[in-house]
C-alpha cells in the first residue's frame, strides 16, 4: 500500500542540519514556555505506545485458532498463528507493558475480518490474520476471541494504568472470497485503481485488487447489505443492531451514507468499552472530512462511557487519534508540505480533520543522521516549527514498512536509545525489545515483518539483557514527559549530553541524558544550570547517586547511557 518518496525528504533534512551550529545551546528560561495555541496534551505528545499484531503476540486460547474454517494453509506467515485477546490480557496482567514503561497499547483491528483467503500473486495465499480486511465492523473476529474477551482486555489494561488504542479502518472492506460476498455497488467502488498522482487518484480510487473501496465521499443514503442483515439475524442481534442505528441517525441527523454507518460502528467500541484512542489506517485514502466527524463522535462516546465508569482509568486526557499517512512526517518527509500532505493538486492538513498527530513515517530513514543533528532538527520541528503542538510517533519498525530500520537487528541496543530518547512520541513494535528479526527466510513480502513473538527467546540470558535495556529506557521515559514533549538543550559532545525541559499545562519536568556507549571508567557529566548546585541526582540506568557540584556530576560506573533525574 506504499508509495514512497523518502529520499527527497532526507536530502532536505540533511541540508538543513548541515548548516546548523554544533555548539551546545544555552539554557534560557523563556525557551521553556513556547506553548502553541491548541496544542495536544503533552502526555500524548510524549507517549510511548506498544504496537502489536494481536494474532502474532500471545496465544491464550488455542480453541479459537481455527475459527470459521480458517486452516493453516496460507503461505509462510500468511495464516492465523493463534494470538488472541486472552493472550494479550495475560501479558497485561503479568506486567509486561508496565515493565517496559509503556503508556498505551495499540492493537491491530479487532473487528471481524473476511473468513476466506486470497491468492496475493507472488506473496501467495493469505488469510486476514492482520485484521485489515473487514467484514463486520460490529463484531470481534472469532480467531481473536469474543466481545467479552475484548472487554476483559480493556479493563485489565485500564487497571494497570494503560490506555488502549485500536486500529480502525474506513477506507475499505475486505476482499471477495468464496466465503465473503461483495458489498453492494452503493457502498463500494470497483475502479479506477489508485495512481497517487492527485487527490482523486489517491482517495476516489481502489487501493488494491484485494480491497473493496468504500464510497466515503458520498452523502447518498444506502440500505444495509443483505449479507450483513442475514448475518445479524443468524446471530440473534438484528433487532438490536437496527434499533441502535435508528437511535444514532435520529440523534445526529446524518444521512444513512456509508461513512456515517462506519462512524457509528467504530464509535460503538468507544461507547461500549472505553477505548482511549484510534490509530487510523490508510488515512490519506479517505475523504478527510470523515475523520473530523469520527473524532467528534468518538469524544462524545468516550464522555458517555466515562460517566458510566467513574472508577476506571483517570479521565484526564482527551480522546487520541493518530493517523497513518504514508510519505509524510517530520523534516519534509515524502510529500509533506510543512505539517500538511501534498496530493499534487490539493494540500490537506490532517490536524484540521480531527487528528492529534500522524506517524512520523520518515524516522527509519532519519536515523542515518548523526544523533545530535537529528535531535536538534526534531526539537525545532516539534517546538517552534510546522509540527509545534502536535503529536507524532517515531518508530524503528512496523508491520508494512519494508524500509524498517535495521531489519536484521544488528544495532538493537543503540536503536532503542535513539528511539526512546528522541523528541516526540515513541512506537515500540512488538518484539523490538528482544530484537525480533525482521528477516525471516522463506517469507514473501511484508510477512517477514510479522513473525510470532518468541517468548522463549525473551527468557534467555541474551533476551533478558536486551529486555532490561529497553525497560530501563522505557521506565525513565515514562516518568519524564520532558523527554518526548520538552525542549532539547545540548550540554556537551564528549560524551554527547543534553537536557530536556518541560514547563507546560501544569507539567514541569527536566532530565539530563548522556550517551556513554563505548566509554570506559568514571565519567564527568555536565549538567550546566539544569539543576541547582548540590542537587542529588540518580542515574536511572546504573542506579548510581551523585550530587551536582560546579555544574557537573561524577558517575563511577556508567552503562551505555546515563539517565539523570532528581532524587525526590
Amino acid at each position: 500500500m506504499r508509495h514512497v518518496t523518502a529520499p527527497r525528504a532526507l536530502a532536505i533534512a540533511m541540508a538543513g542540519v548541515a548548516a546548523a551550529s554544533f555548539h551546545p545551546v544555552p539554557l534560557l528560561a523563556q525557551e521553556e514556555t513556547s506553548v502553541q495555541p491548541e496544542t495536544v496534551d503533552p502526555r500524548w505528545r510524549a507517549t510511548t505506545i506498544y504496537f502489536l499484531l494481536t494474532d502474532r503476540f500471545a496465544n491464550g486460547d488455542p480453541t479459537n485458532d481455527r475459527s470459521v474454517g480458517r486452516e493453516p494453509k496460507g503461505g509462510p506467515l500468511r495464516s492465523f498463528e493463534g494470538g488472541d485477546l486472552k493472550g494479550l490480557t495475560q501479558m497485561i496482567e503479568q506486567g509486561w507493558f508496565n515493565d517496559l514503561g509503556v503508556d498505551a497499547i495499540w492493537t491491530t483491528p479487532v473487528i471481524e475480518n473476511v473468513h476466506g483467503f486470497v491468492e496475493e500473486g507472488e506473496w501467495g495465499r493469505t488469510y486476514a490474520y492482520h485484521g485489515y480486511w473487514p467484514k463486520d465492523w460490529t463484531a470481534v473476529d472469532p480467531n481473536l476471541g469474543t466481545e467479552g474477551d475484548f472487554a476483559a482486555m480493556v479493563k485489565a489494561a485500564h487497571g494497570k494504568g494503560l490506555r488502549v488504542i485500536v486500529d480502525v479502518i474506513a477506507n475499505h472492506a475486505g476482499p471477495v472470497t468464496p466465503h465473503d460476498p461483495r458489498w453492494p455497488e452503493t457502498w463500494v467502488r470497483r475502479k479506477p485503481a489508485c495512481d497517487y498522482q492527485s487527490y482523486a487518484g489517491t482517495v476516489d480510487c481502489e487501493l488494491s485488487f484485494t480491497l473493496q473501496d468504500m464510497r466515503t465521499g458520498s452523502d447518498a443514503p444506502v440500505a444495509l447489505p443483505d449479507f450483513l442483515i442475514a448475518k445479524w439475524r443468524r446471530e440473534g442481534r438484528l433487532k438490536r443492531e437496527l434499533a441502535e442505528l435508528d437511535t444514532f441517525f435520529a440523534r445526529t441527523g446524518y444521512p444513512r451514507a456509508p461513512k456515517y454507518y462506519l462512524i457509528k460502528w467504530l464509535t460503538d467500541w468507544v461507547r461500549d468499552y472505553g477505548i482511549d484512542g484510534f490509530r487510523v489506517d490508510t488515512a490519506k485514502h479517505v475523504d478527510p472530512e470523515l475523520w473530523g466527524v469520527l473524532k467528534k463522535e468518538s469524544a462524545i462516546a468516550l464522555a458517555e462511557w466515562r460517566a458510566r465508569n467513574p472508577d476506571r482509568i483517570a479521565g484526564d486526557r482527551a480522546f487520541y487519534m493518530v493517523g497513518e499517512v504514508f510519505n509524510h512526517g517530520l523534516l519534509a518527509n515524502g510529500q509533506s508540505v510543512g505539517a500538511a500532505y501534498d496530493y499534487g493538486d490539493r494540500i490537506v492538513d490532517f490536524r484540521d480533520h480531527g487528528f492529534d498527530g500522524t506517524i512520523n513515517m520518515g524516522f527509519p530513514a532519519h536515523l542515518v543522521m548523526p544523533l545530535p543533528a537529528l535531535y536538534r532538527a526534531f526539537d525545532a520541528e516539534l517546538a517552534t516549527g510546522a509540527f509545534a503542538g502536535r503529536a507524532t510517533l517515531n518508530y524503528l519498525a512496523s508491520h508494512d514498512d519494508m524500509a524498517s530500520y535495521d531489519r536484521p537487528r544488528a544495532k538493537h541496543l543503540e536503536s532503542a536509545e535513539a528511539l526512546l530518547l528522541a523528541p516526540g512520541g515513541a512506537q515500540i513494535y512488538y518484539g523490538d525489545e528482544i530484537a525480533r528479526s525482521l528477516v525471516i527466510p522463506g517469507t514473501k513480502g511484508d510477512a517477514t515483518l510479522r513473525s510470532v513473538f518468541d517468548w522463549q527467546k525473551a527468557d534467555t540470558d541474551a533476551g533478558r539483557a536486551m529486555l532490561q535495556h529497553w525497560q530501563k529506557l522505557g521506565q525513565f521515559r515514562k516518568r519524564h514527559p520532558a523527554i518526548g514533549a520538552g525542549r532539547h538543550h545540548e550540554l556537551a559532545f564528549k560524551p554527547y549530553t543534553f537536557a530536556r525541559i518541560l514547563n507546560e499545562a501544569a507539567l514541569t519536568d527536566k532530565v539530563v541524558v548522556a550517551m556513554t556507549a563505548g566509554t570506559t571508567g568514571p565519567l564527568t557529566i555536565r549538567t550546566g544550570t539544569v539543576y541547582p548546585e548540590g542537587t542529588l541526582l540518580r542515574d536511572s540506568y546504573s542506579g548510581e547517586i551523585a550530587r551536582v557540584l560546579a555544574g557537573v556530576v561524577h558517575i563511577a560506573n556508567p552503562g551505555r547511557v546515563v539517565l539523570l533525574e532528581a532524587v525526590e
Side-chain angles (χ1 to χ4, degrees), residues 473-556:
L473 290 164
Q475 290 174 11
F476 183 71
R477 180 184 174 91
K478 170 72 172 179
R479 289 194 299 275
H480 297 290
I483 294 173
R487 293 303 313 271
H488 175 77
H489 301 277
E490 293 170 335
L491 300 173
F493 289 99
K494 291 185 178 180
Y496 178 50
T497 306
F498 57 85
R500 297 276 168 75
I501 302 176
L502 175 65
N503 182 10
E504 179 184 336
L507 280 178
T508 57
D509 183 37
K510 55 187 176 182
V511 296
V512 170
V513 174
M515 312 297 280
T516 51
T519 62
T520 57
L523 283 176
T524 297
I525 306 298
R526 183 169 184 250
T527 59
T529 59
V530 177
Y531 297 104
E533 184 77 0
T535 301
L536 202 61
L537 302 182
R538 176 191 299 109
D539 172 17
S540 182
Y541 197 87
S542 69
E544 195 169 328
I545 303 293
R547 192 175 298 277
V548 176
L549 298 172
V552 301
V553 295
H554 301 286
I555 304 298

Side-chain angles (χ1 to χ4, degrees), residues 238-523:
L238 176 61
K239 186 177 293 186
R240 186 191 77 198
E241 294 295 343
L242 294 179
E244 288 184 1
L245 285 167
D246 288 343
T247 300
F248 173 79
F249 286 112
R251 175 181 67 81
T252 62
Y254 299 137
R256 292 181 181 243
K259 62 184 172 186
Y260 295 114
Y261 282 102
L262 293 171
I263 287 168
K264 187 275 179 189
W265 294 335
L266 291 172
T267 54
D268 277 352
W269 296 97
V270 184
R271 180 172 287 104
D272 294 344
Y273 302 107
I275 62 174
D276 305 280
F278 286 150
R279 179 270 188 183
V280 172
D281 182 65
T282 52
K284 72 179 184 181
H285 297 285
V286 174
D287 294 80
E289 290 76 15
L290 180 152
W291 302 129
V293 180
L294 178 64
K295 178 66 172 295
K296 171 189 170 184
E297 291 295 331
S298 297
I300 293 170
L302 185 56
E304 291 179 9
W305 181 87
R306 285 175 173 171
R308 299 194 311 270
N309 297 271
D311 58 331
R312 293 284 285 272
I313 194 167
D316 57 353
R317 297 194 202 178
F319 189 84
Y320 172 77
M321 201 162 84
V322 63
E324 173 211 42
V325 182
F326 274 125
N327 299 313
H328 177 266
L330 274 63
L331 310 188
N333 181 65
Q335 290 164 246
S336 299
V337 177
Y341 179 83
D342 185 1
Y343 285 92
D345 58 355
R346 179 178 174 184
I347 294 175
V348 172
D349 188 340
F350 287 90
R351 184 80 172 100
D352 294 337
H353 299 281
F355 286 91
D356 296 292
T358 52
I359 297 170
N360 179 21
M361 307 303 282
F363 191 76
H366 295 153
L367 287 175
V368 304
M369 298 167 61
L371 210 57
L374 176 63
Y375 285 180
R376 188 183 306 115
F378 273 27
D379 175 66
E381 285 267 73
L382 293 169
T384 59
F387 286 83
R390 300 168 185 247
T392 189
L393 280 179
N394 303 314
Y395 68 93
L396 300 171
S398 194
H399 64 309
D400 55 3
D401 188 347
M402 297 303 290
S404 291
Y405 183 71
D406 185 31
R407 285 175 49 192
R409 305 293 197 170
K411 303 175 182 179
H412 55 89
L413 295 177
E414 52 263 54
S415 297
E417 295 153 11
L419 173 67
L420 295 179
L421 297 174
Q427 169 198 308
I428 299 173
Y429 185 44
Y430 79 106
D432 280 352
E433 68 272 41
I434 59 167
R436 179 178 64 87
S437 179
L438 304 176
V439 181
I440 308 299
T443 58
K444 299 287 187 181
D446 52 18
T448 192
L449 308 174
R450 304 173 179 181
S451 60
V452 177
F453 193 103
D454 190 343
W455 294 103
Q456 291 183 333
K457 180 180 180 180
D459 200 32
T460 64
D461 289 343
R464 283 189 291 269
M466 287 184 282
L467 182 59
Q468 186 179 58
H469 183 62
W470 280 84
Q471 288 172 339
K472 288 181 177 181
L473 290 164
Q475 290 174 11
F476 183 71
R477 180 184 174 91
K478 170 72 172 179
R479 289 194 299 275
H480 297 290
I483 294 173
R487 293 303 313 271
H488 175 77
H489 301 277
E490 293 170 335
L491 300 173
F493 289 99
K494 291 185 178 180
Y496 178 50
T497 306
F498 57 85
R500 297 276 168 75
I501 302 176
L502 175 65
N503 182 10
E504 179 184 336
L507 280 178
T508 57
D509 183 37
K510 55 187 176 182
V511 296
V512 170
V513 174
M515 312 297 280
T516 51
T519 62
T520 57
L523 283 176

Side-chain angles (χ1 to χ4, degrees), residues 146-212:
T146 65
E147 286 196 45
D149 295 335
F150 183 76
M153 183 276 288
V154 177
K155 185 174 183 179
H158 285 171
K160 291 285 189 178
L162 300 164
R163 265 74 181 177
V164 176
I165 296 168
V166 174
D167 214 319
V168 296
I169 304 157
N171 176 68
H172 57 266
V176 177
T177 82
H179 304 285
D180 308 285
R182 175 168 292 282
W183 285 65
E185 295 296 316
T186 53
W187 280 77
V188 300
R189 63 172 62 85
R190 302 184 65 172
K191 57 184 180 181
C194 296
D195 63 10
Y196 307 102
Q197 300 304 304
S198 64
Y199 177 84
T202 306
V203 176
D204 300 327
C205 55
E206 190 175 65
L207 186 59
S208 166
F209 77 93
T210 61
L211 305 176
Q212 302 180 67

